[in-house]
Amino acid sequence: DTAVSQTPKYLVTQMGNDKSIKCEQNLGHDTMYWYKQDSKKFLKIMFSYNNKELIINETVPNRFSPKSPDKAHLNLHINSLELGDSAVYFCASSQAGGRTYNEQFFGPGTRLTVL
Amino acid sequence: DQQVKQNSPSLSVQEGRISILNCDYTNSMFDYFLWYKKYPAEGPTFLISISSIKDKNEDGRFTVFLNKSAKHLSLHIVPSQPGDSAVYFCAARRISNFGNEKLTFGTGTRLTIIP
């Protein structure tokens, strides 16, 4: 019973195309995230949603648009794909911790390759 | 600006010995430090955390030490087991002025346990 799932696992596409990655969590968490792991292995936060509202939006090109239809889903849509978008994208979820740290649960990742 | 650094990209340790993974940080605003473990083709999984007000946290074979004056933390695994072979990410949490939680990750250390 997968806690955080992402589809697809692999995505190969041409430059200029538009693609989406879907994420779902069945943990009842109120916060979801998108991370990007680039070729240098940096794992960086892109977006964070709490109760369907955007709360963190790092310096990400506006070609990237997250959409949260409900608390259990956070999808990532990417327009006009560029070579530099090739990376592994991880979705994660957690219960907002406040004073304490509540672990973030990560999905298995989506490897995006732009040709 | 790399606020969390793991200077050793890889480490090999004999089974049964102690593994020590190191991490340095620069931002004094971090209030929690975490270690995540990652197997190939999977998402990172939470291992252990430590609050910035503590200097040690232990969970079974895993112990994290925090030296705030040196802005340094380390993860000790003892005894090391073959299943510990994975990439270990150090991460640090900061709470923004708006109460949002943000994790900053290091680039990871690949630990190989030699049977």
Side-chain angles (χ1 to χ4, degrees), chain A residues 9 33 35 37 40-43 45 55-56 58 90 94 97-104 106-108, chain B residues 2 31-32 34 36 38 41-46 49 89 93 95 100-108:
Chain A
K9 195 163 174 63
Y33 313 82
Y35 288 86
Q37 186 179 32
K40 294 182 180 175
K41 306 302 180 189
F42 284 106
L43 189 62
I45 182 78
I55 57 171
I56 291 178
E58 291 295 294
F90 289 99
S94 72
R99 286 179 170 267
T100 60
Y101 176 70
N102 292 332
E103 67 173 283
Q104 292 186 16
F106 283 79
Chain B
Q2 205 178 330
D31 69 338
Y32 264 89
L34 326 153
Y36 274 79
K38 185 182 179 305
E42 294 183 12
T45 55
F46 173 74
S49 67
F89 288 97
R93 183 184 91 156
I95 300 289
N100 305 324
E101 171 181 297
K102 179 182 168 185
L103 296 188
T104 302
F105 283 83
T107 49

Side-chain angles (χ1 to χ4, degrees), chain A residues 4-98:
Chain A
V4 182
S5 59
Q6 294 179 229
T7 51
K9 195 163 174 63
Y10 299 96
L11 186 52
V12 181
T13 188
Q14 300 285 333
M15 254 176 32
N17 283 350
D18 303 339
K19 289 293 177 186
S20 292
I21 307 172
K22 294 186 177 181
C23 177
E24 176 180 2
Q25 55 97 1
N26 62 6
L27 297 166
H29 288 158
D30 60 5
T31 307
M32 295 185 73
Y33 313 82
W34 275 110
Y35 288 86
K36 177 181 179 181
Q37 186 179 32
D38 60 22
S39 57
K40 294 182 180 175
K41 306 302 180 189
F42 284 106
L43 189 62
K44 287 186 180 173
I45 182 78
M46 299 174 68
F47 300 102
S48 172
Y49 269 71
N50 179 267
N51 286 316
K52 300 181 2 179
E53 285 193 27
L54 181 66
I55 57 171
I56 291 178
N57 182 353
E58 291 295 294
T59 49
V60 175
N62 56 16
R63 298 182 294 103
F64 289 79
S65 53
K67 295 244 182 341
S68 181
D70 55 58
K71 277 172 50 172
H73 296 85
L74 181 62
N75 304 322
L76 185 65
H77 189 76
I78 316 170
N79 289 329
S80 304
L81 278 155
E82 300 178 357
L83 294 177
D85 298 333
S86 295
V88 181
Y89 292 84
F90 289 99
C91 177
S93 74
S94 72
Q95 195 63 26

